[in-house]
Amino acid sequence: MVREFKLPDVGEGLTEAEIVDWLVEVGDTVSEDQPVAEVETDKAVVEVPSPVNGTVREILAEAGEMVPVGDVIITFDVEGEESEPVEESADESDAESAVEPIGDEADAGAEAGNGATAEAEPSARGGRVFAAPSARRLARELDVDITTVAGSGPGGRVSEADVRAAAESGGDEGAAEAAEAPKSAVKRVSDAPESKLDSKGDGSAEPATTAPAGGPEPAGREQTLAAPATRRLAEEEGVDLNDVPTDAERDGQAFVTPEHVQQYAAAQQAAQAADAQAVQQEAASAPAADTETTPEGEVERVPYRGIRRTIGKAMENSKYTAPHVTHHDTVVVDDLVDVRARLKPKAEERGIKLTYMPFVVKAIVAALKEYPVLNSQLNEDDEEILVKHYHNIGIAVATDAGLMVPVVKDAGQKDMLTIASDVNELASKARDRSISRSEMQGGTFSITNFGAIGGEYATPIINYPETAILGLGELKQRPVVEDGEVVARWTIPISLSIDHRVIDGADAAQFANTLMEYLGNPELLLLE
């Protein structure tokens, strides 16, 4: 039985999402709750689990494709239930069930194999191309129109070998010729699991003719001698005996031992793992850009979607909804620098990296307790201000995919080292895109540290529907006048943006003064 799986709403009210990467290929056996795809939501990449135990039958969306919620993205043959039969020619069926030939039997097998190849079905049915994600990726790299490639796999599925053949033959005619070209006469035994028919994992029944990048080079022999136990091992490992390198011979023919099979399988798996990691890194990188030349010069078109579009819409909503006012000041933090220097080794002994951010978080919470109106939200529909007596502090983190704002929950109830640990963990998860949606929700006040890159003052945009955000400038020594003399002091410029509908300028200035008092005298934080 074929089970369809629709893209679920992996966020709150999500209408569409981008398929970042597929974690499975056609023919793979999966278990219930096993991740099968990575999907990008508003600000995070989440894994989508399989709803059933079964075998991947068809993948209906490409990596990088925007898919509406509710569209079918993958189908499964449910384990233990009869699968929908795949149309195939009589010759192809015979070739699939043929026992691996040795010696004179190879000639008969060659005829069956050639017949199956010649009768390969077109790769597209109903306008959709059946191809593994790796084959689609290779087609893009080689500039091959995959819709014109004749697939030699079950049901006309296009494999990487088909794409390479089309590229080498130079187009549509070459692809057709490649589909009709003689293939190896050697086939796998028919009772091998479908997911192990091909080391590439795309369900193709043809012997693998290429290795993963950096992997072992297949031998590509027509005949191989091996003991029955070795053949069983090859089937279990999903490798073709004819591809296993060997220097051993018996009766003038290549002879493969179990050790040869194990070494080849291990090398293949290592190379495939490296390939998969490279693909994931590529998919997680910025969207591919198209470059073109205009009369004015060269321009680059970058898709405005995913995280970048989410950030843009949020900023637009905040800027055009809340009237922003920004209060600027500078705080002298010589004592803070000294305290942090003394405590840093102690924190490292406990395995925690202590930055200045936990001190800033503690100081903000202390100031918010005195001026809670900055820890609020305006409910426009009910025409009321919600003053919150809990403190969830969002901290903006710059990532390769854009700005993310993880939230330290209940910061007012945590000690300095716990906050430090939370900040480090959340920032790391944001950068490697493993952070969950819930870890970026529920903030009551936000911090953005643009000084880490460089700069003193800015006008931060409020993380709507919050009503205030603090920007931190670069921590460095600056000239300060004390007792009529200019001296060098460690200082931090601050930029406090407020929603002027809720917060008055006087409230902002008093909050800033209190914050600076705590940062300038960090021992006061011991009372919090």
Side-chain angles (χ1 to χ4, degrees):
M1 176 180 177
V2 178
R3 182 74 61 86
E4 295 183 340
F5 180 56
K6 300 177 180 179
L7 177 65
D9 181 359
V10 291
E12 296 180 359
L14 197 68
T15 60
E16 63 178 1
E18 180 179 349
I19 306 295
V20 174
D21 192 25
W22 286 103
L23 307 179
V24 296
E25 292 190 347
V26 171
D28 286 356
T29 300
V30 299
S31 57
E32 186 175 358
D33 294 329
Q34 174 185 335
V36 296
E38 290 182 339
V39 176
E40 182 176 88
T41 64
D42 284 353
K43 283 196 174 183
V45 173
V46 298
E47 292 182 339
V48 176
S50 167
V52 295
N53 296 322
T55 302
V56 178
R57 181 182 182 84
E58 186 176 4
I59 292 176
L60 302 175
E62 293 188 49
E65 182 178 343
M66 294 295 295
V67 180
V69 170
D71 276 17
V72 178
I73 58 174
I74 189 172
T75 62
F76 302 93
D77 288 330
V78 178
E79 198 171 82
E81 300 181 22
E82 185 176 355
S83 300
E84 181 179 315
V86 177
E87 295 181 7
E88 54 185 17
S89 67
D91 288 338
E92 184 172 358
S93 300
D94 294 341
E96 289 296 323
S97 60
V99 176
E100 183 177 8
I102 296 180
D104 295 337
E105 294 177 4
D107 294 335
E111 295 179 5
N114 293 345
T117 305
E119 294 297 323
E121 300 179 22
S123 61
R125 293 182 179 178
R128 182 177 292 278
V129 176
F130 298 148
S134 57
R136 295 180 185 274
R137 183 171 59 254
L138 180 62
R140 290 194 294 269
E141 294 173 354
L142 300 180
D143 196 24
V144 172
D145 184 356
I146 200 167
T147 62
T148 65
V149 179
S152 60
R157 175 162 291 278
V158 177
S159 68
E160 291 183 54
D162 297 327
V163 175
R164 292 186 187 278
E168 293 172 0
S169 58
D172 302 349
E173 295 181 1
E177 294 172 1
E180 297 175 358
K183 297 283 174 70
S184 168
V186 182
K187 297 287 181 180
R188 302 187 194 280
V189 293
S190 59
D191 60 352
E194 183 179 0
S195 62
K196 295 182 179 178
L197 287 177
D198 186 286
S199 62
K200 294 176 291 186
D202 62 2
S204 172
E206 63 181 6
T209 57
T210 60
E217 187 68 27
R221 294 181 298 274
E222 289 295 323
Q223 299 181 34
T224 300
L225 296 179
T230 304
R231 297 186 181 279
R232 285 195 300 271
L233 177 62
E235 292 171 7
E236 293 171 359
E237 295 291 348
V239 301
D240 190 338
L241 279 174
N242 293 315
D243 288 339
V244 178
T246 179
D247 294 330
E249 289 188 0
R250 185 170 292 182
D251 298 330
Q253 295 188 20
F255 180 74
V256 172
T257 66
E259 290 75 17
H260 292 138
V261 172
Q262 291 172 341
Q263 292 172 2
Y264 181 71
Q268 269 199 331
Q269 291 168 4
Q272 288 169 349
D275 282 352
Q277 183 177 3
V279 170
Q280 291 179 355
Q281 292 174 347
E282 176 186 350
S285 63
D290 294 327
T291 302
E292 65 181 60
T293 301
T294 67
E296 293 79 16
E298 189 176 272
V299 297
E300 186 176 317
R301 298 183 184 274
V302 180
Y304 181 57
R305 66 188 188 197
I307 289 178
R308 176 52 54 195
R309 184 177 63 174
T310 301
I311 293 172
K313 289 186 177 296
M315 295 298 99
E316 177 183 349
N317 182 42
S318 176
K319 192 64 177 178
Y320 290 107
T321 301
H324 284 55
V325 171
T326 305
H327 175 91
H328 301 288
D329 216 323
T330 301
V331 54
V332 177
V333 291
D334 281 356
D335 289 348
L336 176 59
V337 172
D338 291 341
V339 169
R340 186 251 182 180
R342 292 197 304 271
L343 295 180
K344 183 180 178 181
K346 298 293 183 182
E348 290 176 349
E349 291 176 1
R350 304 187 188 185
I352 298 174
K353 180 182 178 182
L354 183 62
T355 65
Y356 290 98
M357 187 58 69
F359 293 93
V360 175
V361 171
K362 289 288 286 184
I364 285 174
V365 170
L368 287 176
K369 290 179 180 179
E370 295 190 36
Y371 299 96
V373 70
L374 279 82
N375 197 55
S376 63
Q377 174 183 336
L378 176 61
N379 190 330
E380 299 174 66
D381 293 336
D382 296 334
E383 296 187 336
E384 62 183 12
I385 298 172
L386 303 179
V387 179
K388 301 175 181 180
H389 296 288
Y390 57 93
H391 304 91
N392 294 342
I393 308 301
I395 301 174
V397 176
T399 74
D400 292 339
L403 197 68
M404 298 187 185
V405 188
V407 177
V408 178
K409 303 292 178 65
D410 295 319
Q413 307 299 318
K414 296 177 178 178
D415 59 42
M416 190 76 70
L417 291 183
T418 301
I419 292 175
S421 179
D422 287 355
V423 169
N424 295 337
E425 179 182 359
L426 290 169
S428 176
K429 293 171 72 174
R431 293 189 181 99
D432 65 21
R433 307 290 295 282
S434 64
I435 193 166
S436 68
R437 187 181 180 91
S438 63
E439 290 173 313
M440 295 189 293
Q441 293 178 324
T444 62
F445 186 100
S446 293
I447 307 169
T448 178
N449 183 18
F450 49 81
I453 301 173
E456 295 189 348
Y457 300 100
T459 304
I461 297 180
I462 297 166
N463 191 17
Y464 189 82
E466 298 168 17
T467 56
I469 182 172
L470 180 72
L472 300 174
E474 183 181 6
L475 168 65
K476 69 177 185 180
Q477 287 189 318
R478 294 180 175 86
V480 174
V481 178
E482 291 183 356
D483 299 325
E485 294 185 359
V486 177
V487 294
R489 291 287 184 260
W490 288 100
T491 63
I492 300 178
I494 62 172
S495 301
L496 176 67
S497 291
I498 59 170
D499 184 341
H500 213 349
R501 298 174 301 173
V502 179
I503 304 167
D504 293 331
D507 292 325
Q510 290 172 327
F511 170 86
N513 290 339
T514 303
L515 173 67
M516 290 191 296
E517 183 180 6
Y518 280 104
L519 291 178
N521 302 280
E523 68 272 9
L524 294 177
L525 296 175
L526 297 175
L527 302 177
E528 296 299 318

